[in-house]
Amino acid sequence: MVKERKLAVPYTTIFIAQLPEETQQIIRADLMEYAREHNERLEWDPEAQEYAGMTRRFCDIEEIYKDTDLIFCEPGEDVRDYELSQQRTITVRLPDDDIDALCRKAGGADLTVGELLENFISDLVGGSRTNGSDERMLAHQWFDRCWFSICHEMTFLSYLIDYGLVDAAMDYWTDLEGYREQEDLDEYDKEDMAYYAEELNTLFKEYKKYYPQSSELSVEMAMEKVVKWSREREELLNANRSVRCRENSR
């Protein structure tokens, strides 16, 4: 979930269905995101033809915002901030012919290039804007058949992502780097440093046990890709904050 969310909610006991439609859409998207993050299945209300959470009072679903700084605002103000929060800047390298063809493909479906890419990406990752199960299946088949899926080496980064350990590895590495930058370490610091190094080395040894032919010969070498990937992810996740700051300063 996001760290900050602005919502046009006048009081927390209001029924969500009484809120502006745009605000309901934001809350619905947040419900879906929360369910994905916690591997939960949203209850469906067949009578209301809506997720059950959306038929309740706002205070009944506040749990999904427990780690989010909620800011209540006037109607319409939340929509602008939400749209800004969805913006990302990603660089792609394509020749002019491909760009022209991409524009024509998108325009033929009455879409912008950005909207076309948003739809495909959502199908590929099973996002909130997915077009359906068949579309997700075909997007996954495309990904699995491409050279980067068939021929790629199982790197330490790939291993960590597959097993959900990349954040733990980055935490160990970040703490280690912090200690290495310090000149004077007391005994407690040295113990902590040794612990983080041991935990990170344990992850790397497990990886090498399954992939002994890997070209990554040391944990330091392997962590270069992990750090680079993590930085790109953080930049993309935090890009919307920079956009909002620029917009709010105008």
Side-chain angles (χ1 to χ4, degrees):
M1 288 290 291
V2 294
K3 295 183 178 180
E4 180 182 291
R5 172 68 77 224
K6 184 179 286 188
L7 291 172
V9 176
Y11 49 92
T12 59
T13 55
I14 191 172
F15 280 99
I16 296 173
Q18 295 177 287
L19 297 172
E21 179 59 34
E22 295 83 358
T23 301
Q24 292 184 49
Q25 291 176 3
I26 297 172
I27 295 173
R28 186 181 297 107
D30 286 342
L31 271 172
M32 296 169 67
E33 179 68 20
Y34 180 85
R36 280 196 301 274
E37 290 180 359
H38 293 80
N39 295 315
E40 296 179 1
R41 186 172 183 177
L42 290 175
E43 179 186 352
W44 183 257
D45 186 328
E47 183 176 346
Q49 288 295 295
E50 178 62 278
Y51 293 120
M54 295 294 295
T55 67
R56 298 168 183 158
R57 300 178 188 273
F58 181 78
C59 57
D60 295 328
I61 59 102
E62 274 189 300
E63 171 69 15
I64 72 171
Y65 295 112
K66 64 179 181 179
D67 297 320
T68 300
D69 182 16
L70 273 178
I71 301 173
F72 297 124
C73 63
E74 295 298 319
E77 293 180 9
D78 52 348
V79 179
R80 174 176 170 273
D81 273 43
Y82 180 73
E83 290 177 349
L84 286 173
S85 75
Q86 301 296 294
Q87 294 181 14
R88 304 288 190 273
T89 300
I90 301 174
T91 301
V92 295
R93 295 180 176 85
L94 292 171
D96 289 347
D97 288 349
D98 287 358
I99 289 294
D100 182 63
L102 179 60
C103 291
R104 293 177 185 276
K105 178 69 74 174
D110 197 24
L111 295 171
T112 65
V113 170
E115 289 169 340
L116 176 60
L117 295 177
E118 288 166 8
N119 275 269
F120 177 72
I121 291 170
S122 195
D123 287 332
L124 181 62
V125 302
S128 59
R129 300 180 184 179
T130 178
N131 292 286
S133 58
D134 287 345
E135 288 78 3
R136 292 195 298 272
M137 177 187 69
L138 292 170
H140 292 161
Q141 288 178 354
W142 168 83
F143 187 87
D144 291 340
R145 288 173 61 89
C146 287
W147 64 269
F148 44 74
S149 289
I150 297 173
C151 303
H152 88 287
E153 176 187 4
M154 176 58 77
T155 62
F156 189 44
L157 171 61
S158 304
Y159 172 81
L160 292 174
I161 291 176
D162 284 352
Y163 286 92
L165 296 169
V166 68
D167 289 328
M170 275 302 302
D171 286 342
Y172 297 144
W173 181 260
T174 301
D175 288 332
L176 273 174
E177 290 294 284
Y179 282 123
R180 287 168 180 163
E181 292 174 358
Q182 299 180 34
E183 294 183 0
D184 298 320
L185 298 177
D186 59 29
E187 290 303 314
Y188 294 107
D189 291 335
K190 292 177 181 178
E191 288 180 6
D192 286 344
M193 188 175 179
Y195 167 77
Y196 296 133
E198 181 180 357
E199 290 296 309
L200 191 57
N201 281 322
T202 298
L203 290 177
F204 186 70
K205 288 177 182 177
E206 283 293 307
Y207 158 68
K208 291 295 285 186
K209 181 173 71 175
Y210 292 107
Y211 304 98
Q213 303 303 318
S214 166
S215 61
E216 295 175 322
L217 303 179
S218 67
V219 67
E220 289 77 16
M221 179 188 297
M223 283 302 297
E224 289 181 7
K225 286 184 179 179
V226 179
V227 171
K228 182 179 179 181
W229 174 88
S230 183
R231 285 175 179 168
E232 181 183 35
R233 179 181 61 164
E234 288 302 312
E235 287 174 0
L236 289 172
L237 288 173
N238 294 325
N240 51 22
R241 296 182 191 173
S242 299
V243 172
R244 288 204 302 272
C245 288
R246 289 197 300 270
E247 290 292 326
N248 292 334
S249 65
R250 292 179 180 176

